[in-house]
Every structure is written in structure tokens, then in C-alpha cells.
């Protein structure tokens, strides 16, 4: 399976979100807020894009599983 540009963007944003949550949990440090400002417009956009990316990956993962199950 080849990943398209949107897939790669979704993976990168989801990884960023996961790492950020790891930092929040381990050190109470929000890297996105530290870089772009506490709940600034840019921070909020990044948080939204991370959430949309996670939903996209759930959707594509479900679609791939359904396709894989049909193929076998």
C-alpha cells in the first residue's frame, strides 16, 4: 500500500499530537502552546488539525481493514 500526501500529513500531525500529549502527561509541558502561544489561533488550528487527522486515520484504517477482509 502506498501512502498519498494526505495520508502522510495525517500521520505526521497525529504523531505530533501524540508526542505533545506525552509531554503534557510526563512533564506538564505543552510544546504546541510553548511555540505558538497558549490557545492562540495558531495553536487552536494545530489542535484541530491533529484531531481531524486522527479521525481521518480511524476512517482510512477501518476502510483498509474492510478492504483487506474482503480480499481474503
Amino acid at each position: 500500500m502506498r501512502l498519498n500526501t494526505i495520508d502522510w500529513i495525517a500521520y505526521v500531525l497525529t504523531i505530533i499530537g501524540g508526542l505533545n500529549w506525552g509531554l503534557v502527561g510526563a512533564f506538564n509541558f505543552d510544546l504546541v502552546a510553548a511555540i505558538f502561544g497558549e490557545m492562540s489561533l495558531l495553536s487552536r488550528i494545530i489542535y484541530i488539525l491533529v484531531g481531524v487527522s486522527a479521525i481521518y486515520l480511524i476512517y482510512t484504517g477501518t476502510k483498509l481493514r474492510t478492504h483487506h477482509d474482503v480480499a481474503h
Side-chain angles (χ1 to χ4, degrees):
M1 176 185 94
R2 294 199 69 168
L3 300 178
N4 64 34
T5 303
I6 303 241
D7 294 334
W8 278 109
I9 291 169
Y11 277 110
V12 168
L13 285 169
T14 304
I15 290 168
I16 289 168
L19 292 173
N20 194 57
W21 272 111
L23 289 170
V24 169
F27 305 108
N28 197 27
F29 178 71
D30 185 341
L31 182 61
V32 173
I35 293 172
F36 300 107
E38 185 83 23
M39 292 312 286
S40 69
L41 178 61
L42 194 51
S43 291
R44 291 174 60 93
I45 290 170
I46 291 169
Y47 297 138
I48 290 167
L49 289 174
V50 167
V52 169
S53 295
I55 292 168
Y56 174 79
L57 291 176
I58 291 168
Y59 168 74
T60 57
T62 303
K63 190 170 79 170
L64 285 174
R65 180 179 170 112
T66 303
H67 177 72
H68 182 266
D69 289 346
V70 170
H72 283 94

